[in-house]
Amino acid sequence: MAIAFDRGYYKQPFARLVAEYPAEDVYPSADFRVEWGPVFHRGRLDGSARVLIIGQDPAQHEAIARRVLVGTAGKRAQGLLKRLSITRSYVFINTFLYSVYGQGGGNRHIANAAIAAYRNRWIAAILKRGSIEAVVAFGGLANTAWQDWLASSAAAGHAPLPFRHLTHPTWPESSARTNAERQAAVTKLLENWNDGLRALKPVIQQPDVAGALELYGTAFVPGDLPDILPDDLPPGLPAWMRTEEGWADRKGETLLEKRRTIVVRVPKGVLPD
Ligand code: URA
């Protein structure tokens, strides 16, 4: 059986964009894990994307898969798109090309003109095809990134798009200390996402599948974590990287060792006992 795969950045303007990415002179290694390289996008760049989602920064799964939003946050985002009746016509980018390191790095660099200018080139390239019908920003920094785009001269040539600033998909994990707090935060996140669904579902003119809006309950259920499409990832990545949630961790006895090390574990059940 043929397995679809992402053919990469072989067409303009994306070939030029990935060749011209900002390096350590723009993203300082004190605040970004530049050693793992930039991660650019996930999804359709061929003018078929209907929804643009802006995330925050790549984490350990994204460093391995070389596409953004493939870990827990990515699977939750995929589930949100499914409730918008979008099963493949999406594109994700992040606010930052590199993983933020340490406290406050994101806030310190959100107003950086070179970072914003490069991100705005991506947004312009995605919007140029005219297929995007709605935009979502996950978290405050991504919201600032979108507002930055709107204030740029390049945005002037584009028609306004329906937009929602939604809570970041892994905010419950980053904000809660106990399991009870995490569950309460998930419920709050899903209330916020339901508001977003109510606003955005009616504006999607060309969904991938038909269906009335179904809102989230108070917790994620298994159907809310759909598999990532094979043609979202580079060729040859094992299927479990698309179907499983947590297969990579940063490990190390010291801060430096942890920064240098990502452990990837084939999930249980993939191999016979
Ligand atoms: N969270 C994000 O916002 N983006 C990613 O790529 C991964 C996690």
Side-chain angles (χ1 to χ4, degrees):
M1 195 187 70
I3 312 286
F5 60 92
D6 180 353
R7 298 176 66 194
Y9 308 101
Y10 66 101
K11 282 195 176 159
Q12 299 297 4
F14 301 102
R16 192 172 311 114
L17 269 171
V18 300
E20 294 176 355
Y21 67 83
E24 208 172 320
D25 53 330
V26 171
Y27 280 95
S29 69
D31 287 329
F32 295 97
R33 294 180 172 96
V34 281
E35 63 277 13
W36 289 95
V39 193
F40 299 101
H41 101 294
R42 174 161 76 85
R44 316 280 89 67
L45 294 177
D46 59 359
S48 65
R50 300 281 162 207
V51 178
L52 164 63
I53 294 189
I54 307 175
Q56 186 177 295
D57 65 308
Q60 65 272 27
H61 295 88
E62 291 73 21
I64 302 297
R66 308 316 299 174
R67 293 294 180 271
V68 307
L69 284 151
V70 296
T72 302
K75 290 191 56 109
R76 288 179 182 175
Q78 198 83 20
L80 178 80
L81 287 164
K82 186 173 140 196
R83 288 182 188 268
L84 287 173
S85 297
I86 294 290
T87 52
R88 65 171 295 108
S89 302
Y90 51 78
V91 59
F92 298 92
I93 58 168
N94 273 330
T95 303
F96 297 114
L97 287 180
Y98 302 90
S99 178
V100 175
Y101 180 69
Q103 290 286 315
N107 284 320
R108 263 196 299 284
H109 295 276
I110 190 62
N112 180 292
I115 292 177
Y118 181 78
R119 185 178 55 234
N120 285 345
R121 284 175 66 193
W122 267 87
I123 296 177
I126 289 167
L127 298 188
K128 194 170 172 212
R129 308 294 293 268
S131 64
I132 299 292
E133 298 179 344
V135 179
V136 170
F138 280 143
L141 294 171
N143 180 40
T144 304
W146 180 248
Q147 302 310 324
D148 233 80
W149 157 257
L150 292 179
S152 72
S153 56
H158 294 269
L161 285 166
F163 166 75
R164 289 301 277 210
H165 166 200
L166 299 183
T167 305
H168 190 278
T170 52
W171 169 74
E173 283 71 20
S174 54
S175 63
R177 279 161 307 162
T178 63
N179 203 30
E181 277 179 13
R182 194 190 63 78
Q183 281 172 17
V186 167
T187 302
K188 210 165 161 201
L189 168 105
L190 295 179
E191 280 166 13
N192 172 265
W193 282 18
N194 279 341
D195 286 345
L197 288 171
R198 284 190 203 94
L200 295 182
K201 175 92 162 104
V203 308
I204 311 276
Q205 302 298 319
Q206 299 189 59
D208 293 325
V209 291
L213 174 58
E214 285 182 32
L215 295 174
Y216 285 100
T218 55
F220 286 109
V221 294
D224 292 326
L225 303 173
D227 294 345
I228 287 163
L229 300 185
D231 43 341
D232 283 13
L233 299 186
L237 290 196
W240 50 260
M241 288 194 177
R242 297 185 279 107
T243 57
E244 303 303 312
E245 237 188 289
W247 43 262
D249 277 311
R250 295 191 197 277
K251 289 260 154 80
E253 295 294 315
T254 63
L255 284 177
L256 183 60
E257 203 49 37
K258 195 165 177 190
R259 192 166 162 162
R260 294 174 64 202
T261 313
I262 294 177
V263 174
V264 176
R265 202 167 275 112
V266 175
K268 287 206 177 96
V270 172
L271 291 166
D273 280 342

